[in-house]
Amino acid sequence: MTTSALSFPMPSALGSIDQYISAANQFPLLSEAQELDLARRLKRDNDLEAARALVLSHLRLVVSIARNYLGYGLAHADLIQEGNVGLMKAVKRFDPDRGVRLVSFAMHWIKAEIHEYILKNWRLVKIATTKAQRKLFFNLRSMRSQNGEAAHNLTGDEAAEIAKKLGVKTEEVFEMEARFAGGDVALDGSSDEDDEYRSAPSAWLADSAPEPSEELATAQIERLNEDGLRNALASLDERSRAIVARRWLVDEDGSAATLHELAAEYGVSAERIRQIEAKAMQKMRGLLTAA
């Protein structure tokens, strides 16, 4: 069957998550040739029908991945919705000429969106902010669930064993364990319960907002730093400035160019790009320090 003959009807209004999953599983899988043809049409002609076919044929993948995160107490439908956002991002960025199937490429984007959603909604306050903390959060929770350890506090030996398996420090395991155990606390408490109200954080937290004079000083320092960076960039030759900007000043989707991407663009080796970048950064640091 050619891609032009593929039929991807949209289901009518669905009343439940089970109906949605059933509908998603009815969309036909693509052969490698069909997938390549659709992806090339999307990349070459911005063919939205091709993008639609690629997305719909992989909805069952999102359902399968989202099912693995049901233990976080979040709605299955919400997890699937976030995973679908990741799938659409993957379809948009998919390069059919890299020799990788879309299913393999899309898994990273689907999981990334679901992870971000879980970390934002599992608690009012984010439990993990850095990339390392996010990895530890999901690995530790999965490992504790598999070992049946969720019902008791970790011992020193258990934490050390988990730290060894995950390649982190034991202290980091205990810190994340404490975040698991901690609950959300209302800022104001309840005005109906006097004791609770007096012990609420709003009753004893000090105002840490800076004074107007401090805000003005901070703003002035930031302007000086921006001017210094702008002047340091202007001191570089055009190629060095472009490489630094592409490597360190990320674009709208939050991604920076790799050494190999720049090497292909400028027709030199990745090592040569690294050398140019290192020399430019050294020159900029010297100018910023002198300023």
Side-chain angles (χ1 to χ4, degrees), residues 68-203:
N68 296 325
Y69 296 94
L70 290 177
Y72 293 92
L74 300 172
H76 194 189
D78 291 338
L79 295 171
I80 290 175
Q81 178 175 284
E82 296 302 317
N84 285 341
V85 173
L87 172 60
M88 288 185 283
K89 288 184 177 181
V91 168
K92 181 180 179 181
R93 292 166 173 80
F94 181 58
D95 186 347
D97 299 316
R98 289 289 181 93
V100 178
R101 292 297 300 270
L102 177 57
V103 63
S104 300
F105 180 76
M107 288 180 68
H108 163 77
W109 291 93
I110 295 169
K111 289 181 179 179
E113 289 297 321
I114 293 177
H115 286 184
E116 186 69 21
Y117 174 74
I118 291 173
L119 291 172
K120 285 181 178 179
N121 293 276
W122 198 58
R123 292 277 171 79
L124 290 175
V125 178
K126 248 187 173 182
I127 194 170
T129 54
T130 67
K131 184 177 181 180
Q133 287 175 343
R134 295 179 183 189
K135 182 178 179 181
L136 177 58
F137 170 83
F138 287 103
N139 285 334
L140 177 59
R141 196 174 192 281
S142 175
M143 187 173 293
R144 293 208 64 185
S145 297
Q146 293 172 5
N147 296 340
E149 297 168 351
H152 70 276
N153 293 329
L154 287 175
T155 66
D157 291 340
E158 289 171 341
E161 182 180 355
I162 291 175
K164 183 177 180 181
K165 289 181 180 178
L166 299 182
V168 298
K169 297 178 181 179
T170 304
E171 293 80 6
E172 293 177 286
V173 174
F174 277 124
E175 181 182 352
M176 186 57 68
E177 174 68 12
R179 296 186 186 186
F180 278 134
D184 296 324
V185 178
L187 180 64
D188 293 324
S190 172
S191 57
D192 297 331
E193 300 291 341
D194 291 341
D195 290 340
E196 181 182 351
Y197 184 69
R198 283 194 293 269
S199 63
S202 61

